[in-house]
Amino acid sequence: MYDSIRNNLPREKLYVHFDKTNYTATDTIWFKAYLVDGTLNVPSNTSAVIYTEIIDENNDVLQTLALPTVSGLTWGAFALNERQFKTGTYTFRAYTNWMQNFGNSHFFQKQLKVFSLPAGAIGIASASTTKSPLASNQNNSGNNRNSAIDLQFLPEGGNLIAGSNQKIAFKALNANGKGISLSGEILDSKDNIVTTFVSNTKGMGFFYLNAVATERYTARIKNLAVPNTTLPTVKELSTALKVTNDYKSDSLVIQFGSNLKNEPLTVIGQSRGVACFVATLAANTTGKTIRVAKSIFPTGVCQILILDAQRKPLNERNFFINHLDQAKIDVSSDKLAYKNRDSVKLVIKASSFDKKPAQMSLSMSITDDSQVTKDSLNEGNILSYLLLTSDLKGEIENPGSYFKQYDEQTHNDLEALMLTQGWVNYQWDLTKKPLFKAEKEFTLRGKITNLTNTPIANAKVTMVGQNRGFTLIDTVANDKGEFVFDQLPVMDSASFIVQALNTKGRKGTLGIEVDEFKRPEIEVVKRKNIIFDTTADSVANVLVATQNEALNKRYASGNLLREVTITGKRVIPGSKNLNGPGEADQILTEEDLNKVPKLTLYDLLIKKITGFRTGVRRGSSIRDFFINSEPVRFVIDGMELDFFYDSADASAATKMNDYNNFVRTTLDYYNAEDIKGVEVMAFFNKSMLYRSRFVRNWLDQTQYAYIEITTKSGSGPFLKKAANIYKYRPMNYGNKKVFYSPKYTAENDNKTPDFRSTIYWNPNIITDEKGETFVSFFTSDKKGTYTVWLEGTDLEGNFGVKTMKLEVK
């Protein structure tokens, strides 16, 4: 079964390395993606296209890039802008089309912060006096933060069993969702202390308990004023599972107990969806101890399962194995300290765990510590994500700390984590067909049919448009009317026309169905209110102040003219708005619409227009469209849609829904990409001119809201798209932006201030057959320390991370 799942439904993992996680709205987000096979951690040969997105706090996708991979590797950049990105938290999401078959828990997600730079007159801000950009997120209830502790107790094997010295794990989270250190006592029903417990710094730990069947146990926390917590109910033995994973032992001891009658059971040890060992327990086996070598498991998250005869899990136990077999990276600098605008040379050496030279693909980020917070001891990295985080549910606090060094304390911390964190199941129903295809390259697939939906064999299909020059590609449909454009070149964000002709070269009445990429649902978890973090806030403060100072100096020197932002009206070009340009209660511009190009006009109004809904007219059974309580009338390119509706055509039986269907047909016909803008006149001062123009019955006293829709064709509410033409807007595939790293020499005495927060970014560092290479760059005008962060893979399933500090005096 495991082999069938792995061969037919291979899993993929995706990790992304960023230059940093805090940006200003004038910054660029630089990143490198590593796509690997979920079992062997080698480059994935399932997919070769990665989709990346920046999502705002309203769950709107602001920017998207589709990137081809080579050996599972790719890199790209998102250029931010002040108009689109305001101060706030944004989510970076990355995935392959194939990953959608297994749910978005397998997607890579990372939260990034963006800060707007202060606008206004030129003046150098002081980092010590600038108002905190995080101030609006400050939670002033810090004095009460211990009053809401989430304390959970999780018995090994799943259930608290009577008559057994059982390991009980626990996890304590504060109101901020972070682990909190605590200690306490376990009490029986008579308030007798039966054992004690102490957490680690992440709020996790474990203790042993001999539970009595008739007892109820509670936990009393010593150092916090919170109510007692009740432990799970004690159950009589059905099946029980214990796994002893001692730090100094090279074997696992698996103990099993059962009182089930006449039922054979199976013990499975697995990791990354692979069965590492299988043992059968004969029916009526009451107890069994199995010793297995740790060497049969790979480094990473592992699990022991007890299954019944129907292969239903009865008990499960997670544990972590670390064979210390990952790649090693060393970095050395040519000087102990550097001056401003000084040349830096870093020598990189990579080796395997057994000290043999390793050829690796690496990405390097070097950042200014005064502007960028990087915690090399605790922050997540390629090791922690691919070996730990990606195989567990929920947030892992300080994941990098489990890989900085491996000693007995780290081993015990991992034991506590494995006992308290949920498992991401690798099981899959082999009868369930995957819905999403694995993409080896950029393709466009579709089907040609006639009006009766009959496939048109051998239809001639052409795709034409501008793509860094004129592009013309043609193909012929097969006998089922199916066509495919494969090996497409890297596309920009232009539009293309796909046209179909029959075998006689005529348009006829052909229809084109295109299998365009469907973006998965966005399920970004909203962050809890973050309790004020003084360190992160002060560094963000310096980032904003420093970048603003750099801009102001450049403007003052005459090298740049500072953009003056005039707060004005949002105007729709070509609009027939009776009130004049930008005079509306709500406005959607083409920039808003480009974020959701394939959304129908109806779905767009539902999602983006406040108060828009469908309902039934007051005192009538006729369905209509409303903004809050006012019925809506639609005006398209200055022409009222109702003018083209003839109620006489509807029978009495269908009149109730006929008007609604008439309007809905038009709204469903247009996509957001067909529209220049939407303007809403909901209140009387904006709607009265529309009323005087379009309400022809002076007895009608209804207060209407009006929606003015400006189409790109400008032809009004006429559905005249050619049947044999499909407008295709490819996803932006990026332009391989290159990080600018200045070179300072005697001849190049550039006076422009250099206050970079990211000093150097290189996503494509390759070590040679000796495991060696070097990089060079120049320091900036800021004194202080830099963090060098280097990570990557040898493309054989091994990963490495190295950090170091550089000093600029």
Side-chain angles (χ1 to χ4, degrees), residues 606-617:
I606 287 288
K607 182 176 182 179
K608 295 291 187 180
I609 298 301
T610 303
F612 183 80
R613 64 182 179 86
T614 60
V616 177
R617 293 181 190 174

PDB file of all heavy atoms in Angstrom, residues 606-617:
ATOM      1  N   ILE A 606     -20.491  40.926  -5.403  1.00  0.00           N
ATOM      2  CA  ILE A 606     -20.761  40.274  -4.112  1.00  0.00           C
ATOM      3  C   ILE A 606     -19.560  40.403  -3.181  1.00  0.00           C
ATOM      4  O   ILE A 606     -19.693  40.701  -1.986  1.00  0.00           O
ATOM      5  CB  ILE A 606     -21.121  38.786  -4.321  1.00  0.00           C
ATOM      6  CG1 ILE A 606     -22.528  38.634  -4.909  1.00  0.00           C
ATOM      7  CG2 ILE A 606     -20.996  38.004  -3.028  1.00  0.00           C
ATOM      8  CD1 ILE A 606     -23.657  38.945  -3.950  1.00  0.00           C
ATOM      9  N   LYS A 607     -18.356  40.228  -3.731  1.00  0.00           N
ATOM     10  CA  LYS A 607     -17.153  40.203  -2.899  1.00  0.00           C
ATOM     11  C   LYS A 607     -16.666  41.597  -2.536  1.00  0.00           C
ATOM     12  O   LYS A 607     -16.198  41.825  -1.417  1.00  0.00           O
ATOM     13  CB  LYS A 607     -16.044  39.447  -3.629  1.00  0.00           C
ATOM     14  CG  LYS A 607     -14.761  39.319  -2.814  1.00  0.00           C
ATOM     15  CD  LYS A 607     -13.707  38.482  -3.527  1.00  0.00           C
ATOM     16  CE  LYS A 607     -12.453  38.338  -2.666  1.00  0.00           C
ATOM     17  NZ  LYS A 607     -11.414  37.514  -3.319  1.00  0.00           N
ATOM     18  N   LYS A 608     -16.796  42.557  -3.463  1.00  0.00           N
ATOM     19  CA  LYS A 608     -16.109  43.826  -3.301  1.00  0.00           C
ATOM     20  C   LYS A 608     -17.017  45.012  -2.973  1.00  0.00           C
ATOM     21  O   LYS A 608     -16.521  46.027  -2.476  1.00  0.00           O
ATOM     22  CB  LYS A 608     -15.323  44.157  -4.578  1.00  0.00           C
ATOM     23  CG  LYS A 608     -14.188  43.182  -4.888  1.00  0.00           C
ATOM     24  CD  LYS A 608     -13.074  43.308  -3.875  1.00  0.00           C
ATOM     25  CE  LYS A 608     -11.866  42.477  -4.270  1.00  0.00           C
ATOM     26  NZ  LYS A 608     -10.768  42.577  -3.296  1.00  0.00           N
ATOM     27  N   ILE A 609     -18.297  44.939  -3.277  1.00  0.00           N
ATOM     28  CA  ILE A 609     -19.192  46.082  -3.048  1.00  0.00           C
ATOM     29  C   ILE A 609     -19.926  45.898  -1.733  1.00  0.00           C
ATOM     30  O   ILE A 609     -20.679  44.932  -1.555  1.00  0.00           O
ATOM     31  CB  ILE A 609     -20.179  46.260  -4.210  1.00  0.00           C
ATOM     32  CG1 ILE A 609     -19.427  46.543  -5.503  1.00  0.00           C
ATOM     33  CG2 ILE A 609     -21.169  47.385  -3.916  1.00  0.00           C
ATOM     34  CD1 ILE A 609     -18.547  47.770  -5.472  1.00  0.00           C
ATOM     35  N   THR A 610     -19.700  46.788  -0.820  1.00  0.00           N
ATOM     36  CA  THR A 610     -20.315  46.705   0.510  1.00  0.00           C
ATOM     37  C   THR A 610     -21.828  46.776   0.395  1.00  0.00           C
ATOM     38  O   THR A 610     -22.382  47.692  -0.220  1.00  0.00           O
ATOM     39  CB  THR A 610     -19.821  47.855   1.396  1.00  0.00           C
ATOM     40  OG1 THR A 610     -18.402  47.806   1.468  1.00  0.00           O
ATOM     41  CG2 THR A 610     -20.416  47.756   2.791  1.00  0.00           C
ATOM     42  N   GLY A 611     -22.507  45.792   0.982  1.00  0.00           N
ATOM     43  CA  GLY A 611     -23.965  45.808   1.034  1.00  0.00           C
ATOM     44  C   GLY A 611     -24.647  45.181  -0.163  1.00  0.00           C
ATOM     45  O   GLY A 611     -25.880  45.033  -0.163  1.00  0.00           O
ATOM     46  N   PHE A 612     -23.894  44.789  -1.204  1.00  0.00           N
ATOM     47  CA  PHE A 612     -24.536  44.235  -2.404  1.00  0.00           C
ATOM     48  C   PHE A 612     -25.056  42.832  -2.101  1.00  0.00           C
ATOM     49  O   PHE A 612     -24.364  42.002  -1.537  1.00  0.00           O
ATOM     50  CB  PHE A 612     -23.548  44.192  -3.564  1.00  0.00           C
ATOM     51  CG  PHE A 612     -24.164  43.687  -4.850  1.00  0.00           C
ATOM     52  CD1 PHE A 612     -24.921  44.536  -5.632  1.00  0.00           C
ATOM     53  CD2 PHE A 612     -23.996  42.371  -5.253  1.00  0.00           C
ATOM     54  CE1 PHE A 612     -25.496  44.088  -6.813  1.00  0.00           C
ATOM     55  CE2 PHE A 612     -24.566  41.905  -6.426  1.00  0.00           C
ATOM     56  CZ  PHE A 612     -25.318  42.763  -7.213  1.00  0.00           C
ATOM     57  N   ARG A 613     -26.315  42.574  -2.530  1.00  0.00           N
ATOM     58  CA  ARG A 613     -26.956  41.285  -2.248  1.00  0.00           C
ATOM     59  C   ARG A 613     -28.118  41.070  -3.201  1.00  0.00           C
ATOM     60  O   ARG A 613     -28.515  41.981  -3.945  1.00  0.00           O
ATOM     61  CB  ARG A 613     -27.475  41.233  -0.796  1.00  0.00           C
ATOM     62  CG  ARG A 613     -28.575  42.260  -0.525  1.00  0.00           C
ATOM     63  CD  ARG A 613     -29.045  42.249   0.912  1.00  0.00           C
ATOM     64  NE  ARG A 613     -30.077  43.242   1.163  1.00  0.00           N
ATOM     65  CZ  ARG A 613     -31.379  43.032   0.967  1.00  0.00           C
ATOM     66  NH1 ARG A 613     -31.817  41.851   0.537  1.00  0.00           N
ATOM     67  NH2 ARG A 613     -32.255  43.977   1.225  1.00  0.00           N
ATOM     68  N   THR A 614     -28.656  39.859  -3.194  1.00  0.00           N
ATOM     69  CA  THR A 614     -29.907  39.572  -3.894  1.00  0.00           C
ATOM     70  C   THR A 614     -31.006  39.416  -2.852  1.00  0.00           C
ATOM     71  O   THR A 614     -30.742  39.086  -1.691  1.00  0.00           O
ATOM     72  CB  THR A 614     -29.806  38.292  -4.734  1.00  0.00           C
ATOM     73  OG1 THR A 614     -29.494  37.204  -3.867  1.00  0.00           O
ATOM     74  CG2 THR A 614     -28.714  38.428  -5.788  1.00  0.00           C
ATOM     75  N   GLY A 615     -32.256  39.643  -3.271  1.00  0.00           N
ATOM     76  CA  GLY A 615     -33.384  39.544  -2.354  1.00  0.00           C
ATOM     77  C   GLY A 615     -34.694  39.654  -3.116  1.00  0.00           C
ATOM     78  O   GLY A 615     -34.725  39.609  -4.353  1.00  0.00           O
ATOM     79  N   VAL A 616     -35.773  39.815  -2.381  1.00  0.00           N
ATOM     80  CA  VAL A 616     -37.120  39.906  -2.965  1.00  0.00           C
ATOM     81  C   VAL A 616     -37.654  41.309  -2.737  1.00  0.00           C
ATOM     82  O   VAL A 616     -37.517  41.872  -1.647  1.00  0.00           O
ATOM     83  CB  VAL A 616     -38.061  38.852  -2.335  1.00  0.00           C
ATOM     84  CG1 VAL A 616     -39.471  38.983  -2.886  1.00  0.00           C
ATOM     85  CG2 VAL A 616     -37.528  37.450  -2.589  1.00  0.00           C
ATOM     86  N   ARG A 617     -38.246  41.891  -3.798  1.00  0.00           N
ATOM     87  CA  ARG A 617     -38.805  43.227  -3.684  1.00  0.00           C
ATOM     88  C   ARG A 617     -39.886  43.275  -2.600  1.00  0.00           C
ATOM     89  O   ARG A 617     -40.671  42.337  -2.437  1.00  0.00           O
ATOM     90  CB  ARG A 617     -39.415  43.673  -5.013  1.00  0.00           C
ATOM     91  CG  ARG A 617     -38.410  43.875  -6.133  1.00  0.00           C
ATOM     92  CD  ARG A 617     -39.123  44.342  -7.390  1.00  0.00           C
ATOM     93  NE  ARG A 617     -38.232  44.331  -8.554  1.00  0.00           N
ATOM     94  CZ  ARG A 617     -38.627  44.580  -9.791  1.00  0.00           C
ATOM     95  NH1 ARG A 617     -39.909  44.871 -10.019  1.00  0.00           N
ATOM     96  NH2 ARG A 617     -37.768  44.540 -10.790  1.00  0.00           N
TER      97      ARG A 617
END
